């Protein structure tokens, strides 16, 4: 079911003969409202942001040109489209009234359920191509075909917002580049020419997104995406058969080589000619709807704040192939119209996460044994980094993210085989200490189409997944940390400011209780430092300040400051700095250069200090007597384990120079504490 929100102050209550009852959403073009027609039927009213007041051109006013253009839209036959009912202007702002379609967008479904498979993907392809054939037959070009303009209604897919960009364009300047970069055709980018072949290119890109969770030319920086569209071949993922061939033809650089919508629809229906005695658009609509008894698209269940909901399979009963969770730890600048990629799951639909007896966390026994010396080498796919592991290690590398200015590669470890599998970009996964759960956090927040921030929980044995709504989108949540018993997740809630992100509190996700709680806290002077679990995990800690006066604050789970440890130095990074048993914490020494200090958490006294390379980055604790950091003075660089005197006990990994900070790319290595996966 489509999610609605109440009308805001300043929103109109009436437009023409239509009574506005709620908000359906808001985008770059304007706001969409749910409204009641005089007959009582529900309709969607889109009030466009672009005003039409201004000088007349050629004796025809801008509103007149808009109304003339939108009148053409009413000629589009309602085959797999949301039919336009009427259009008009309100105080110089244009609006369009269309048929109300109940159901989520393709963008939302793929984000929540993962890529579409088999019959469901085929019906989507047939339905959307039927819509384009109907749109083109009426002499209209969509101009902005993309996943968020495809609704998955109960009677099949419906295409919306066709021709609106052209109507606005004609009423304003008569020219200009309109579209969403990852779905724009080469000629659209180079000359702003938009003819029906551009819609076929956008359709091909949208189908690749539906089938793989990503557009065929990537979704990172705008220059990189544009360069791939103009000069590179598309990445079609695992698409096979005639659908792959058709999509490849639609993605031809030369628009003259792309099929027309009618020809493409006949290919999808398995005929080069119109089926005998059957109207082509009617046949396409019937296939898209799956017949009278065919399966219907499941509406997206949008949770309320702090609520958890389950995500059903999106395959109509079949188990899709595994698509590994996305990895990400370094934010990249992205153009508008970015998105967060979804993930697919196997196994049955869940009704709730398994509930366990919460109880207080059990104390963690202190471990100080020296690292085992005998190791096995493990090479990461796609990278030249080599791990040196031993089964007795108290930590295990579970996630690797490699980012450049043009792309992001993530790797997540298979719990059964121990191999690293390729993961999609732009999300941050975190494996629970017991290995039973993976939490996946979108970290390109502005690209999330939902008006709230959320985190996914994936039960790794069954591959069921759950979505927990965290906060409204005005706050952004980062830096997830599992509790030692794998029952809770801690995230830091930030508010965006002109000077960067400012922490304002933290969110606690209770897996067994199926809810998330937002706690505000006085994080004055924290300057972006995240919250982390404090010993006992009934409190949280956060670094504050800079230089010799920097310190550590401890808060209870209501956000009240209960303790301050001043003068211990700055945080070394964003990972948890407290030892596994909770007795010690790490800082950069306040009174020495290139030195690391170890402090007693109970007393605040210094336990140890030791020198580190002039160029290094700390990763965290190996066990309670050993620390891991990356020595950036070596070539290749090394991830090493050192004791609290700074003596190197073992090398954990060799990292080549082209996979480190300051080079063409950056690799981030995340270790999960055992029990083993």
């Amino acid at each position: 079911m489509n999610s609605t929100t109440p009308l805001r102050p300043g929103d109109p209550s009436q437009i023409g003969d239509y009574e506005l009852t709620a908000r359906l959403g808001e985008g770059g073009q304007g706001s969409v409202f749910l409204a009641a027609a005089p007959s009582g039927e529900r309709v969607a009213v889109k009030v466009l942001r672009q005003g039409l007041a201004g000088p007349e051109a050629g004796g025809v006013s801008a509103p007149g040109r808009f109304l003339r253009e939108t009148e053409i839209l009413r000629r589009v036959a309602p085959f797999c489209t949301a039919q336009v009912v009427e259009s008009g202007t309100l105080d110089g702002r244009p609006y369009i009234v269309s048929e109300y379609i109940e159901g989520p967008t393709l963008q939302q479904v793929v984000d929540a359920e993962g890529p579409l498979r088999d019959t469901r993907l085929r019906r989507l392809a047939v339905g959307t191509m039927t819509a384009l054939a109907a749109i083109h037959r009426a002499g209209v070009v969509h101009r902005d075909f993309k996943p968020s303009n495809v609704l998955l209604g109960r009677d099949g897919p419906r295409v919306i917002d066709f021709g609106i960009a052209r109507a606005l364009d004609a009423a304003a300047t008569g020219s200009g580049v309109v579209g969403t970069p990852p779905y724009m055709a080469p000629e659209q980018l180079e000359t702003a020419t938009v003819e029906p072949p551009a819609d076929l290119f956008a359709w091909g890109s949208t189908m690749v997104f539906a089938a793989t969770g990503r557009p065929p030319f990537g979704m990172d920086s705008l220059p990189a995406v544009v360069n791939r569209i103009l000069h590179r071949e598309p990445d079609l993922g695992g698409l096979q058969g005639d659908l792959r061939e058709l999509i490849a033809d639609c993605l031809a650089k030369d628009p003259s080589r792309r099929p027309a919508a009618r020809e493409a629809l006949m290919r999808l229906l398995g005929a080069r000619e119109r089926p005998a005695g059957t109207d082509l658009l009617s046949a396409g609509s019937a296939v898209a709807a799956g017949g009278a008894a065919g399966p219907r698209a499941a509406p997206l269940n949008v949770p309320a704040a702090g609520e958890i909901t389950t995500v059903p399979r999106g395959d109509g009963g079949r188990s899709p192939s595994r698509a590994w969770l996305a990895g990400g730890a370094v934010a990249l600048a992205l153009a508008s119209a970015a998105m967060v990629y979804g993930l697919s799951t196997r196994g049955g639909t869940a009704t709730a996460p398994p509930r366990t007896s919460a109880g207080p966390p059990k104390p963690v026994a202190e471990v100080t044994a020296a690292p085992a010396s005998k190791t096995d080498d493990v090479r990461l796919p796609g990278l030249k980094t080599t791990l040196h592991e031993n089964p007795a290690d108290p930590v295990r590398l579970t996630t690797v993210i490699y980012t450049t200015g043009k792309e992001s590669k993530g790797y997540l470890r298979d719990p059964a085989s121990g191999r690293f599998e390729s993961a999609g970009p732009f999300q941050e996964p975190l494996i629970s200490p017991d290995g039973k759960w993976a939490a996946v956090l979108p970290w390109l927040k502005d690209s999330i189409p939902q008006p709230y921030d959320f985190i996914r929980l994936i039960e790794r044995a069954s591959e069921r997944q759950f979505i927990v709504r965290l906060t409204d989108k005005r706050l952004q949540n980062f830096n997830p940390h599992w509790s030692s018993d794998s029952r809770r997740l801690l995230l830091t809630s930030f508010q965006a400011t002109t000077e960067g992100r400012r922490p304002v509190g933290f969110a606690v996700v209770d897996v067994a209780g199926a809810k998330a709680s937002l706690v505000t806290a006085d994080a004055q002077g924290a300057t972006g430092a995240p919250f982390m679990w404090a010993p006992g995990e009934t409190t949280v800690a956060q670094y504050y300040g800079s230089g010799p006066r920097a310190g550590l604050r401890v808060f209870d789970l209501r956000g009240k400051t209960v303790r301050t440890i001043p003068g211990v130095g700055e945080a070394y990074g964003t990972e948890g700095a407290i030892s596994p048993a909770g007795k010690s914490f790490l800082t950069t020494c306040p009174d020495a250069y290139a030195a690391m200090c170890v402090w007693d958490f109970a007393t605040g006294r210094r336990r140890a200090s030791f020198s580190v390379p002039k160029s290094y980055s700390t990763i965290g604790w190996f066990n309670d007597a050993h620390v891991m950091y990356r020595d950036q003075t070596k070539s290749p660089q090394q991830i090493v384990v050192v004791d609290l005197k700074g003596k190197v006990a073992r090398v954990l990994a060799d990292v080549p120079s082209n996979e480190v900070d300051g080079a063409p790319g950056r690799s981030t290595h995340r270790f999960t504490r055992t029990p083993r996966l």
Side-chain angles (χ1 to χ4, degrees):
M1 182 178 295
N2 303 64
S3 61
T4 61
T5 58
L7 296 176
R8 302 173 184 171
D11 285 341
S13 59
Q14 188 90 13
I15 293 181
D17 295 329
Y18 304 94
E19 180 183 359
L20 273 55
T21 58
R23 275 181 164 262
L24 285 171
E26 189 167 8
Q29 290 181 332
S31 301
V32 185
F33 300 90
L34 182 63
S39 63
E41 183 181 6
R42 292 191 295 176
V43 295
V45 179
K46 185 164 191 173
V47 181
L48 302 165
R49 207 178 305 280
Q50 180 175 328
L52 297 178
E56 296 187 356
V60 181
S61 67
R65 290 196 300 274
F66 173 78
L67 294 176
R68 182 186 63 196
E69 290 290 335
T70 53
E71 180 62 26
I72 300 173
L73 305 184
R74 299 178 65 181
R75 303 176 191 170
V76 176
F79 291 101
C80 299
T81 63
Q83 189 172 22
V84 173
V85 178
E86 71 172 66
S87 60
T89 60
L90 177 69
D91 298 328
R93 293 179 63 190
Y95 67 85
I96 294 178
V97 182
S98 63
E99 179 185 7
Y100 172 67
I101 307 299
E102 186 174 4
T105 67
L106 174 62
Q107 176 80 58
Q108 291 172 319
V109 168
V110 173
D111 286 346
E113 302 178 18
L116 275 57
R117 298 283 187 259
D118 303 322
T119 301
R120 199 174 182 200
L121 177 62
R122 189 79 180 189
R123 288 175 179 164
L124 173 74
V126 171
T128 50
M129 189 57 74
T130 300
L132 285 182
I135 291 167
H136 292 173
R137 189 172 72 173
V140 176
V141 181
H142 193 297
R143 292 170 63 101
D144 196 20
F145 189 96
K146 58 186 177 182
S148 59
N149 279 339
V150 177
L151 292 175
L152 300 186
R154 294 188 177 277
D155 56 351
R158 299 287 196 97
V159 175
I160 63 172
D161 282 2
F162 46 90
I164 292 180
R166 165 63 188 169
L168 284 174
D169 197 26
T173 65
S175 64
V177 178
V178 178
T180 303
Y183 304 95
M184 291 171 69
E187 67 270 21
Q188 213 171 342
L189 295 166
E190 292 182 315
T191 66
T193 299
V194 186
E195 299 294 340
D199 284 348
L200 272 294
F201 190 97
W203 177 87
S205 296
T206 299
M207 292 306 103
V208 173
F209 170 76
T212 67
R214 61 186 185 277
F217 300 97
M219 198 64 192
D220 41 10
S221 69
L222 179 58
V225 171
V226 171
N227 178 66
R228 295 189 198 108
I229 291 175
L230 295 177
H231 305 296
R232 303 285 183 86
E233 292 301 312
D235 180 3
L236 303 184
L239 281 165
Q240 300 292 332
D242 62 338
L243 184 56
R244 181 187 178 94
E245 294 176 4
L246 176 59
I247 291 173
D249 289 347
C250 289
L251 292 175
K253 308 294 185 189
D254 183 356
S256 66
R257 296 180 55 191
R258 300 172 205 149
R262 181 181 179 278
E263 176 192 350
L265 179 56
M266 286 192 291
R267 288 172 61 176
L268 286 168
L269 292 174
R272 291 287 178 176
E273 300 294 334
R274 178 179 302 179
T278 306
D279 176 76
L280 187 62
L281 298 184
S282 297
S285 296
V287 171
R296 295 176 176 179
L300 185 66
N301 187 12
V302 179
E307 181 183 340
I308 191 168
T309 185
T310 59
V311 179
R313 285 199 315 243
D315 59 345
R318 295 179 176 86
S319 295
S321 61
R322 178 189 299 266
W324 278 106
L325 310 182
V330 182
L332 301 179
L334 209 67
S336 61
M339 69 183 63
V340 176
Y341 297 103
L343 44 99
S344 61
T345 59
R346 288 189 306 199
T349 301
T351 56
R355 292 177 176 269
T356 59
S357 175
K362 295 180 180 179
V364 178
E366 188 172 20
V367 178
T368 59
S373 58
K374 186 178 180 180
T375 61
D376 296 320
D377 289 350
V378 179
R379 178 66 63 86
L380 302 187
L383 298 174
K384 294 183 179 180
T385 294
T386 301
L387 307 177
H388 310 295
E389 293 188 322
N390 186 288
D393 289 344
V395 294
R396 194 186 198 198
L397 184 64
T398 54
T399 304
V400 177
I401 305 96
Y402 178 64
T403 60
T404 69
K406 296 182 178 180
E407 61 184 347
S408 169
K409 298 179 181 179
Y411 299 95
L412 189 73
R413 204 159 199 175
D414 187 308
S417 67
R419 292 191 299 267
F420 285 87
E421 304 285 349
S422 178
F426 309 131
Q427 297 186 51
E428 181 178 1
L430 189 67
I431 307 300
S432 63
D434 62 8
K436 295 180 180 179
W437 291 92
V440 183
L441 181 71
W443 50 272
L444 291 177
K445 304 299 184 179
D446 293 337
S447 67
I448 301 174
Q450 291 87 348
Y452 53 85
D453 196 8
F454 62 88
I455 193 167
R456 303 175 194 271
L457 299 177
I458 295 89
E459 190 178 40
R460 306 196 81 193
S462 66
E463 295 193 14
R464 295 180 301 170
Q465 65 170 302
F466 311 92
I467 297 176
V468 182
R469 177 171 173 170
L470 299 172
T471 60
D472 291 336
K473 208 169 181 179
R474 63 185 177 84
L475 296 182
Q476 300 179 349
N477 300 273
F478 293 95
N479 307 107
H481 294 276
W482 280 100
S483 61
S484 60
D485 59 7
S486 303
R487 294 173 178 171
R488 294 175 297 166
L489 264 168
L490 176 70
L491 301 100
T492 301
S493 301
F494 294 89
Q495 188 170 46
T497 68
T498 56
E499 299 177 354
R501 295 200 304 260
R502 179 174 64 87
V504 296
F506 53 90
V508 178
V509 178
D510 176 17
V511 176
K515 63 181 179 180
S517 302
L518 174 65
V519 180
T520 58
D522 182 7
Q524 185 176 2
T527 62
F531 290 88
M532 52 194 167
W533 291 113
E537 298 177 348
T538 58
T539 56
V540 298
Q542 183 189 42
Y543 288 100
Y544 69 89
S546 60
R549 296 185 178 181
L552 189 72
R553 282 197 199 99
V554 181
F555 302 82
D556 64 20
L557 296 185
R558 296 173 298 175
K560 181 181 177 181
T561 302
V562 295
R563 186 184 175 200
T564 300
I565 308 175
V568 294
E570 298 181 23
Y572 67 85
T574 59
E575 297 298 324
I578 299 174
S579 63
K583 293 185 177 181
S584 306
F585 65 95
L586 294 170
T587 67
T588 57
C589 289
D591 53 3
Y593 175 70
M596 187 178 297
C597 280
V598 181
W599 305 86
D600 185 276
F601 189 90
T603 65
R605 296 175 181 174
R606 186 181 309 201
R607 287 189 57 197
S609 61
F610 54 91
S611 297
V612 292
K614 293 181 179 179
S615 180
Y616 80 103
S617 58
T618 308
I619 293 176
W621 290 86
F622 181 81
N623 58 25
D624 294 277
H626 294 83
V627 175
M628 300 178 288
Y629 66 76
R630 187 161 69 183
D631 185 349
Q632 298 172 338
T633 65
K634 304 287 187 180
S635 183
Q637 295 186 10
Q638 294 179 335
I639 296 177
V640 297
V641 178
V642 301
D643 62 22
L644 300 189
K645 295 181 179 180
K647 181 180 179 180
V648 175
R650 199 177 98 205
V651 176
L652 282 184
D654 294 299
V655 186
S657 59
N658 66 336
E659 296 173 6
V660 299
D661 298 350
R666 167 186 297 186
S667 59
T668 302
H669 309 85
R670 189 158 221 169
F671 291 83
T672 296
R673 196 155 300 283
T674 52
R676 303 287 297 188
L677 301 184

